[in-house]
PDB file of all heavy atoms in Angstrom:
ATOM      1  N   VAL X 338     -28.028   4.210 -78.336  1.00  0.00           N
ATOM      2  CA  VAL X 338     -26.614   4.515 -78.109  1.00  0.00           C
ATOM      3  C   VAL X 338     -25.942   4.760 -79.455  1.00  0.00           C
ATOM      4  O   VAL X 338     -26.173   4.020 -80.422  1.00  0.00           O
ATOM      5  CB  VAL X 338     -25.896   3.369 -77.363  1.00  0.00           C
ATOM      6  CG1 VAL X 338     -24.407   3.678 -77.196  1.00  0.00           C
ATOM      7  CG2 VAL X 338     -26.553   3.128 -76.001  1.00  0.00           C
ATOM      8  N   VAL X 339     -25.120   5.803 -79.509  1.00  0.00           N
ATOM      9  CA  VAL X 339     -24.333   6.143 -80.695  1.00  0.00           C
ATOM     10  C   VAL X 339     -22.870   6.215 -80.268  1.00  0.00           C
ATOM     11  O   VAL X 339     -22.549   6.846 -79.254  1.00  0.00           O
ATOM     12  CB  VAL X 339     -24.775   7.496 -81.294  1.00  0.00           C
ATOM     13  CG1 VAL X 339     -23.879   7.889 -82.462  1.00  0.00           C
ATOM     14  CG2 VAL X 339     -26.235   7.434 -81.728  1.00  0.00           C
ATOM     15  N   LEU X 340     -21.992   5.563 -81.005  1.00  0.00           N
ATOM     16  CA  LEU X 340     -20.561   5.664 -80.742  1.00  0.00           C
ATOM     17  C   LEU X 340     -19.954   6.743 -81.619  1.00  0.00           C
ATOM     18  O   LEU X 340     -20.211   6.789 -82.833  1.00  0.00           O
ATOM     19  CB  LEU X 340     -19.859   4.328 -81.011  1.00  0.00           C
ATOM     20  CG  LEU X 340     -20.142   3.186 -80.029  1.00  0.00           C
ATOM     21  CD1 LEU X 340     -19.390   1.929 -80.458  1.00  0.00           C
ATOM     22  CD2 LEU X 340     -19.755   3.569 -78.607  1.00  0.00           C
ATOM     23  N   LEU X 341     -19.146   7.606 -81.019  1.00  0.00           N
ATOM     24  CA  LEU X 341     -18.439   8.674 -81.724  1.00  0.00           C
ATOM     25  C   LEU X 341     -16.979   8.639 -81.287  1.00  0.00           C
ATOM     26  O   LEU X 341     -16.692   8.563 -80.085  1.00  0.00           O
ATOM     27  CB  LEU X 341     -19.066  10.031 -81.410  1.00  0.00           C
ATOM     28  CG  LEU X 341     -18.408  11.286 -81.982  1.00  0.00           C
ATOM     29  CD1 LEU X 341     -19.458  12.377 -82.217  1.00  0.00           C
ATOM     30  CD2 LEU X 341     -17.323  11.849 -81.056  1.00  0.00           C
ATOM     31  N   GLY X 342     -16.061   8.683 -82.240  1.00  0.00           N
ATOM     32  CA  GLY X 342     -14.659   8.691 -81.840  1.00  0.00           C
ATOM     33  C   GLY X 342     -13.733   9.023 -82.977  1.00  0.00           C
ATOM     34  O   GLY X 342     -14.082   8.894 -84.158  1.00  0.00           O
ATOM     35  N   LYS X 343     -12.536   9.478 -82.604  1.00  0.00           N
ATOM     36  CA  LYS X 343     -11.486   9.820 -83.564  1.00  0.00           C
ATOM     37  C   LYS X 343     -10.309   8.880 -83.391  1.00  0.00           C
ATOM     38  O   LYS X 343      -9.952   8.507 -82.269  1.00  0.00           O
ATOM     39  CB  LYS X 343     -11.021  11.266 -83.355  1.00  0.00           C
ATOM     40  CG  LYS X 343      -9.959  11.723 -84.342  1.00  0.00           C
ATOM     41  CD  LYS X 343      -9.505  13.135 -84.061  1.00  0.00           C
ATOM     42  CE  LYS X 343      -8.423  13.173 -83.022  1.00  0.00           C
ATOM     43  NZ  LYS X 343      -7.119  12.647 -83.495  1.00  0.00           N
ATOM     44  N   SER X 344      -9.678   8.504 -84.501  1.00  0.00           N
ATOM     45  CA  SER X 344      -8.497   7.653 -84.481  1.00  0.00           C
ATOM     46  C   SER X 344      -8.846   6.309 -83.839  1.00  0.00           C
ATOM     47  O   SER X 344      -9.735   5.614 -84.327  1.00  0.00           O
ATOM     48  CB  SER X 344      -7.351   8.371 -83.766  1.00  0.00           C
ATOM     49  OG  SER X 344      -6.121   7.724 -84.005  1.00  0.00           O
ATOM     50  N   TRP X 345      -8.199   5.940 -82.725  1.00  0.00           N
ATOM     51  CA  TRP X 345      -8.531   4.678 -82.074  1.00  0.00           C
ATOM     52  C   TRP X 345     -10.025   4.640 -81.756  1.00  0.00           C
ATOM     53  O   TRP X 345     -10.685   3.602 -81.914  1.00  0.00           O
ATOM     54  CB  TRP X 345      -7.699   4.519 -80.806  1.00  0.00           C
ATOM     55  CG  TRP X 345      -7.751   3.159 -80.165  1.00  0.00           C
ATOM     56  CD1 TRP X 345      -8.837   2.351 -80.012  1.00  0.00           C
ATOM     57  CD2 TRP X 345      -6.649   2.453 -79.579  1.00  0.00           C
ATOM     58  NE1 TRP X 345      -8.492   1.188 -79.357  1.00  0.00           N
ATOM     59  CE2 TRP X 345      -7.159   1.224 -79.078  1.00  0.00           C
ATOM     60  CE3 TRP X 345      -5.297   2.749 -79.393  1.00  0.00           C
ATOM     61  CZ2 TRP X 345      -6.346   0.295 -78.419  1.00  0.00           C
ATOM     62  CZ3 TRP X 345      -4.500   1.827 -78.736  1.00  0.00           C
ATOM     63  CH2 TRP X 345      -5.010   0.610 -78.264  1.00  0.00           C
ATOM     64  N   GLY X 346     -10.581   5.757 -81.304  1.00  0.00           N
ATOM     65  CA  GLY X 346     -12.008   5.800 -81.020  1.00  0.00           C
ATOM     66  C   GLY X 346     -12.856   5.543 -82.248  1.00  0.00           C
ATOM     67  O   GLY X 346     -13.937   4.934 -82.163  1.00  0.00           O
ATOM     68  N   GLY X 347     -12.402   5.990 -83.426  1.00  0.00           N
ATOM     69  CA  GLY X 347     -13.117   5.708 -84.663  1.00  0.00           C
ATOM     70  C   GLY X 347     -13.000   4.252 -85.066  1.00  0.00           C
ATOM     71  O   GLY X 347     -13.979   3.627 -85.502  1.00  0.00           O
ATOM     72  N   PHE X 348     -11.781   3.695 -84.939  1.00  0.00           N
ATOM     73  CA  PHE X 348     -11.599   2.263 -85.188  1.00  0.00           C
ATOM     74  C   PHE X 348     -12.512   1.449 -84.273  1.00  0.00           C
ATOM     75  O   PHE X 348     -13.170   0.496 -84.706  1.00  0.00           O
ATOM     76  CB  PHE X 348     -10.145   1.865 -84.929  1.00  0.00           C
ATOM     77  CG  PHE X 348      -9.218   2.055 -86.094  1.00  0.00           C
ATOM     78  CD1 PHE X 348      -8.477   3.212 -86.228  1.00  0.00           C
ATOM     79  CD2 PHE X 348      -9.060   1.071 -87.050  1.00  0.00           C
ATOM     80  CE1 PHE X 348      -7.598   3.395 -87.281  1.00  0.00           C
ATOM     81  CE2 PHE X 348      -8.185   1.238 -88.115  1.00  0.00           C
ATOM     82  CZ  PHE X 348      -7.454   2.401 -88.236  1.00  0.00           C
ATOM     83  N   SER X 349     -12.534   1.799 -82.968  1.00  0.00           N
ATOM     84  CA  SER X 349     -13.315   1.015 -82.015  1.00  0.00           C
ATOM     85  C   SER X 349     -14.809   1.114 -82.320  1.00  0.00           C
ATOM     86  O   SER X 349     -15.551   0.148 -82.107  1.00  0.00           O
ATOM     87  CB  SER X 349     -13.020   1.468 -80.580  1.00  0.00           C
ATOM     88  OG  SER X 349     -13.513   2.771 -80.329  1.00  0.00           O
ATOM     89  N   ALA X 350     -15.261   2.272 -82.822  1.00  0.00           N
ATOM     90  CA  ALA X 350     -16.667   2.401 -83.208  1.00  0.00           C
ATOM     91  C   ALA X 350     -16.998   1.467 -84.363  1.00  0.00           C
ATOM     92  O   ALA X 350     -18.039   0.787 -84.368  1.00  0.00           O
ATOM     93  CB  ALA X 350     -16.977   3.850 -83.578  1.00  0.00           C
ATOM     94  N   LEU X 351     -16.122   1.411 -85.369  1.00  0.00           N
ATOM     95  CA  LEU X 351     -16.340   0.507 -86.501  1.00  0.00           C
ATOM     96  C   LEU X 351     -16.348  -0.949 -86.044  1.00  0.00           C
ATOM     97  O   LEU X 351     -17.193  -1.753 -86.470  1.00  0.00           O
ATOM     98  CB  LEU X 351     -15.262   0.725 -87.560  1.00  0.00           C
ATOM     99  CG  LEU X 351     -15.335   2.038 -88.350  1.00  0.00           C
ATOM    100  CD1 LEU X 351     -14.038   2.289 -89.095  1.00  0.00           C
ATOM    101  CD2 LEU X 351     -16.505   2.013 -89.330  1.00  0.00           C
ATOM    102  N   MET X 352     -15.403  -1.293 -85.164  1.00  0.00           N
ATOM    103  CA  MET X 352     -15.310  -2.677 -84.704  1.00  0.00           C
ATOM    104  C   MET X 352     -16.512  -3.064 -83.854  1.00  0.00           C
ATOM    105  O   MET X 352     -17.036  -4.180 -83.970  1.00  0.00           O
ATOM    106  CB  MET X 352     -14.015  -2.869 -83.912  1.00  0.00           C
ATOM    107  CG  MET X 352     -12.765  -2.753 -84.747  1.00  0.00           C
ATOM    108  SD  MET X 352     -11.276  -2.845 -83.729  1.00  0.00           S
ATOM    109  CE  MET X 352     -10.032  -2.414 -84.948  1.00  0.00           C
ATOM    110  N   ALA X 353     -16.960  -2.156 -83.006  1.00  0.00           N
ATOM    111  CA  ALA X 353     -18.148  -2.443 -82.203  1.00  0.00           C
ATOM    112  C   ALA X 353     -19.367  -2.625 -83.101  1.00  0.00           C
ATOM    113  O   ALA X 353     -20.219  -3.499 -82.850  1.00  0.00           O
ATOM    114  CB  ALA X 353     -18.384  -1.325 -81.193  1.00  0.00           C
ATOM    115  N   ALA X 354     -19.462  -1.815 -84.152  1.00  0.00           N
ATOM    116  CA  ALA X 354     -20.602  -1.940 -85.060  1.00  0.00           C
ATOM    117  C   ALA X 354     -20.615  -3.304 -85.741  1.00  0.00           C
ATOM    118  O   ALA X 354     -21.702  -3.846 -86.033  1.00  0.00           O
ATOM    119  CB  ALA X 354     -20.569  -0.822 -86.100  1.00  0.00           C
ATOM    120  N   MET X 355     -19.435  -3.868 -85.984  1.00  0.00           N
ATOM    121  CA  MET X 355     -19.369  -5.193 -86.599  1.00  0.00           C
ATOM    122  C   MET X 355     -19.958  -6.265 -85.683  1.00  0.00           C
ATOM    123  O   MET X 355     -20.382  -7.325 -86.154  1.00  0.00           O
ATOM    124  CB  MET X 355     -17.926  -5.526 -86.954  1.00  0.00           C
ATOM    125  CG  MET X 355     -17.337  -4.650 -88.051  1.00  0.00           C
ATOM    126  SD  MET X 355     -15.570  -4.941 -88.326  1.00  0.00           S
ATOM    127  CE  MET X 355     -15.614  -6.562 -89.092  1.00  0.00           C
ATOM    128  N   ARG X 356     -19.986  -5.996 -84.364  1.00  0.00           N
ATOM    129  CA  ARG X 356     -20.556  -6.950 -83.408  1.00  0.00           C
ATOM    130  C   ARG X 356     -22.073  -6.814 -83.276  1.00  0.00           C
ATOM    131  O   ARG X 356     -22.719  -7.641 -82.652  1.00  0.00           O
ATOM    132  CB  ARG X 356     -19.896  -6.751 -82.041  1.00  0.00           C
ATOM    133  CG  ARG X 356     -18.381  -6.924 -82.043  1.00  0.00           C
ATOM    134  CD  ARG X 356     -17.987  -8.382 -82.175  1.00  0.00           C
ATOM    135  NE  ARG X 356     -18.399  -9.121 -81.000  1.00  0.00           N
ATOM    136  CZ  ARG X 356     -17.671  -9.244 -79.886  1.00  0.00           C
ATOM    137  NH1 ARG X 356     -16.466  -8.673 -79.812  1.00  0.00           N
ATOM    138  NH2 ARG X 356     -18.111  -9.943 -78.871  1.00  0.00           N
ATOM    139  N   ARG X 357     -22.650  -5.761 -83.809  1.00  0.00           N
ATOM    140  CA  ARG X 357     -24.088  -5.525 -83.854  1.00  0.00           C
ATOM    141  C   ARG X 357     -24.766  -5.572 -82.479  1.00  0.00           C
ATOM    142  O   ARG X 357     -25.776  -6.271 -82.304  1.00  0.00           O
ATOM    143  CB  ARG X 357     -24.759  -6.522 -84.792  1.00  0.00           C
ATOM    144  CG  ARG X 357     -24.310  -6.417 -86.234  1.00  0.00           C
ATOM    145  CD  ARG X 357     -25.193  -7.245 -87.144  1.00  0.00           C
ATOM    146  NE  ARG X 357     -24.823  -7.089 -88.541  1.00  0.00           N
ATOM    147  CZ  ARG X 357     -25.504  -7.628 -89.556  1.00  0.00           C
ATOM    148  NH1 ARG X 357     -26.603  -8.339 -89.307  1.00  0.00           N
ATOM    149  NH2 ARG X 357     -25.102  -7.445 -90.804  1.00  0.00           N
ATOM    150  N   PRO X 358     -24.291  -4.836 -81.495  1.00  0.00           N
ATOM    151  CA  PRO X 358     -25.029  -4.779 -80.228  1.00  0.00           C
ATOM    152  C   PRO X 358     -26.406  -4.161 -80.456  1.00  0.00           C
ATOM    153  O   PRO X 358     -26.538  -3.174 -81.202  1.00  0.00           O
ATOM    154  CB  PRO X 358     -24.145  -3.901 -79.345  1.00  0.00           C
ATOM    155  CG  PRO X 358     -23.249  -3.169 -80.275  1.00  0.00           C
ATOM    156  CD  PRO X 358     -23.076  -4.012 -81.484  1.00  0.00           C
ATOM    157  N   PRO X 359     -27.453  -4.714 -79.841  1.00  0.00           N
ATOM    158  CA  PRO X 359     -28.823  -4.280 -80.170  1.00  0.00           C
ATOM    159  C   PRO X 359     -29.082  -2.796 -79.968  1.00  0.00           C
ATOM    160  O   PRO X 359     -29.849  -2.194 -80.733  1.00  0.00           O
ATOM    161  CB  PRO X 359     -29.681  -5.129 -79.221  1.00  0.00           C
ATOM    162  CG  PRO X 359     -28.852  -6.328 -78.913  1.00  0.00           C
ATOM    163  CD  PRO X 359     -27.430  -5.849 -78.904  1.00  0.00           C
ATOM    164  N   ALA X 360     -28.499  -2.184 -78.941  1.00  0.00           N
ATOM    165  CA  ALA X 360     -28.800  -0.778 -78.652  1.00  0.00           C
ATOM    166  C   ALA X 360     -27.994   0.200 -79.489  1.00  0.00           C
ATOM    167  O   ALA X 360     -28.249   1.406 -79.441  1.00  0.00           O
ATOM    168  CB  ALA X 360     -28.565  -0.490 -77.171  1.00  0.00           C
ATOM    169  N   LEU X 361     -27.024  -0.286 -80.261  1.00  0.00           N
ATOM    170  CA  LEU X 361     -26.184   0.624 -81.056  1.00  0.00           C
ATOM    171  C   LEU X 361     -26.947   1.031 -82.303  1.00  0.00           C
ATOM    172  O   LEU X 361     -27.167   0.231 -83.211  1.00  0.00           O
ATOM    173  CB  LEU X 361     -24.865  -0.056 -81.427  1.00  0.00           C
ATOM    174  CG  LEU X 361     -23.882   0.830 -82.204  1.00  0.00           C
ATOM    175  CD1 LEU X 361     -23.455   2.034 -81.363  1.00  0.00           C
ATOM    176  CD2 LEU X 361     -22.650   0.024 -82.642  1.00  0.00           C
ATOM    177  N   ARG X 362     -27.308   2.304 -82.356  1.00  0.00           N
ATOM    178  CA  ARG X 362     -28.137   2.792 -83.458  1.00  0.00           C
ATOM    179  C   ARG X 362     -27.335   3.389 -84.592  1.00  0.00           C
ATOM    180  O   ARG X 362     -27.816   3.445 -85.725  1.00  0.00           O
ATOM    181  CB  ARG X 362     -29.124   3.830 -82.915  1.00  0.00           C
ATOM    182  CG  ARG X 362     -30.154   3.259 -81.942  1.00  0.00           C
ATOM    183  CD  ARG X 362     -31.176   2.388 -82.663  1.00  0.00           C
ATOM    184  NE  ARG X 362     -31.791   3.097 -83.768  1.00  0.00           N
ATOM    185  CZ  ARG X 362     -32.809   3.953 -83.642  1.00  0.00           C
ATOM    186  NH1 ARG X 362     -33.329   4.184 -82.450  1.00  0.00           N
ATOM    187  NH2 ARG X 362     -33.312   4.567 -84.696  1.00  0.00           N
TER     188      ARG X 362
END
Side-chain angles (χ1 to χ4, degrees):
V338 177
V339 176
L340 290 179
L341 176 150
K343 182 182 85 71
S344 194
W345 191 319
F348 274 94
S349 68
L351 289 165
M352 293 175 189
M355 293 174 71
R356 302 287 294 273
R357 297 191 177 185
L361 183 63
R362 294 289 306 278

